[in-house]
Amino acid sequence: MTSSASPTHHHGPGHHHEHGHGQADTGQDDALAAVLDLDAEIFAPYLDAVTRRVAELAGGGVTHVVDLGSGTGAGTFALLERFPRARATAVDSSPAMLARLAESARAKGLDDRVSTLETDAGTGLGGITDADLVWASASLHHLDDPAAALSGIRAALRPGGLLAVAELDGMPHFLPDDAVAGRPGLEDRCREALAGLHAGQVPHLGADWGALLAAAGFTVEQERTERLELRAPLPDAVGRYAHLVLGRVRGALDGRADPADLAALGTLLDGGPGDVRHREDLVVRSTRQLWLARRS
Ligand SMILES: C[S@@+](CC[C@H](N)C(=O)[O-])C[C@H]1O[C@@H](n2cnc3c(N)ncnc32)[C@H](O)[C@@H]1O
């Protein structure tokens, strides 16, 4: 994580992190965990496609996967399914996230294949040297010094091992432009205001990971950007996801955005007829980037 302790740090699909390696506040973790779980559910087909591409490059010999910044374990569990002979080490600085992940592993009967490591992943990966695959989804940009972190990841990978870096460009879009009467462009303005906050709080969000990977001695074998779009009929999870994300956006922008925009956000969250959980016109748009890089 970065070192800022601002309670307004939002990013990704409405992610809102308390900072201070391992000091995360439980309430914040609960809210983030809910967003991460919904994100994994809604974008499961994308995650499935990504792990398939990873498997194509990784080949059949994957026995140890490291999930860096694992959160609730979306990547851990997807990869254990993709690589049935592998065990996974879930690394996160948040003990609450790791506790949730361990509980899910037990519930899924996978506890013998999952271990957890609570650490600041920017300072190394606990002496691991045999990873076949390191998976870092929406996590690398949190680390204080990406170059140092990549060199720690390199040390954790066996020669020829793969690093998968997945990032996203900011909060997803949910609404048609005219969704809130009198406030066209509401989501775009929110995204812009959040980007301004991130520039100070999460300076590595949007970094050129291809260049950083090359500089750290990785060979980038694939780099792709996908613009995902989900349209009706959408599962109920989408309304709940939009509600959580936009609620967190409103919290982050409180006192920082036009009061009329904050009020408009309120109508999307207040349980009334305009609430995102009741709307049938949601379209989820999210841009996701992926780099697959090999340790030489
Ligand atoms: C946006 S979440 C992504 C979670 C998961 N990879 C996913 O895609 O669903 C970022 C995660 O990185 C963790 N994290 C942030 N800074 C970290 C650090 N310095 N070391 C280890 N984990 C960190 C957070 O606690 C959080 O669980």
Side-chain angles (χ1 to χ4, degrees):
M1 282 189 183
T2 61
S3 55
S4 153
S6 164
T8 60
H9 165 195
H10 286 229
H11 78 95
H15 299 168
H16 187 165
H17 304 251
E18 270 308 303
H19 291 151
H21 313 297
Q23 305 299 311
D25 165 75
T26 308
Q28 296 293 347
D29 270 342
D30 284 350
L32 174 60
V35 172
L36 295 177
D37 284 345
L38 285 168
D39 190 78
E41 179 181 341
I42 291 164
F43 292 106
Y46 174 67
L47 187 55
D48 189 58
V50 169
T51 62
R52 189 173 312 120
R53 273 201 291 280
V54 169
E56 279 162 15
L57 286 193
V62 173
T63 58
H64 188 192
V65 172
V66 173
D67 185 0
L68 185 156
S70 58
T72 52
T76 301
F77 297 120
L79 291 165
L80 286 180
E81 195 173 333
R82 182 64 71 197
F83 299 107
R85 290 176 41 232
R87 68 191 168 90
T89 305
V91 180
D92 207 289
S93 54
S94 158
M97 287 293 175
L98 292 175
R100 277 172 183 271
L101 188 149
E103 180 51 42
S104 300
R106 270 192 295 280
K108 292 172 192 287
L110 290 171
D111 38 339
D112 58 332
R113 294 176 64 201
V114 178
S115 49
T116 59
L117 172 62
E118 183 193 325
T119 189
D120 171 5
T123 60
L125 293 173
I128 295 171
T129 54
D130 66 345
D132 304 296
L133 169 65
V134 173
W135 168 267
S137 167
S139 55
L140 276 194
H141 64 261
H142 282 286
L143 306 181
D144 292 328
D145 179 349
L150 288 174
S151 118
I153 292 171
R154 199 169 185 284
L157 280 166
R158 64 162 172 77
L162 266 192
L163 168 59
V165 177
E167 288 283 330
L168 62 175
D169 77 328
M171 69 173 258
H173 275 270
F174 297 105
L175 301 161
D177 200 39
D178 57 353
V180 185
R183 305 305 298 166
L186 174 67
E187 275 192 315
D188 285 340
R189 284 192 299 284
C190 290
R191 279 173 70 92
E192 219 169 281
L194 285 174
L197 284 178
H198 295 159
Q201 297 172 344
V202 209
H204 306 304
L205 189 61
D208 183 350
W209 292 105
L212 287 165
L213 287 162
F218 288 90
T219 305
V220 178
E221 297 192 357
Q222 279 191 30
E223 178 170 351
R224 41 202 305 161
T225 300
E226 293 202 46
R227 289 180 182 79
L228 308 178
E229 187 171 302
L230 309 176
R231 291 179 167 276
L234 293 169
D236 284 351
V238 167
R240 295 201 303 279
Y241 178 71
H243 191 264
L244 271 175
V245 170
L246 293 174
R248 294 159 69 74
V249 169
R250 185 179 56 171
L253 296 184
D254 201 16
R256 292 182 160 89
D258 183 333
D261 278 347
L262 291 171
L265 277 175
T267 67
L268 297 166
L269 300 168
D270 65 5
D275 187 296
V276 282
R277 289 165 296 181
H278 304 146
R279 300 183 71 118
E280 304 216 329
D281 59 349
L282 300 187
V283 178
V284 190
R285 296 196 182 89
S286 181
T287 299
R288 312 238 157 170
Q289 284 176 290
L290 177 72
W291 292 262
L292 298 179
R294 197 174 300 277
R295 188 211 143 144
S296 43

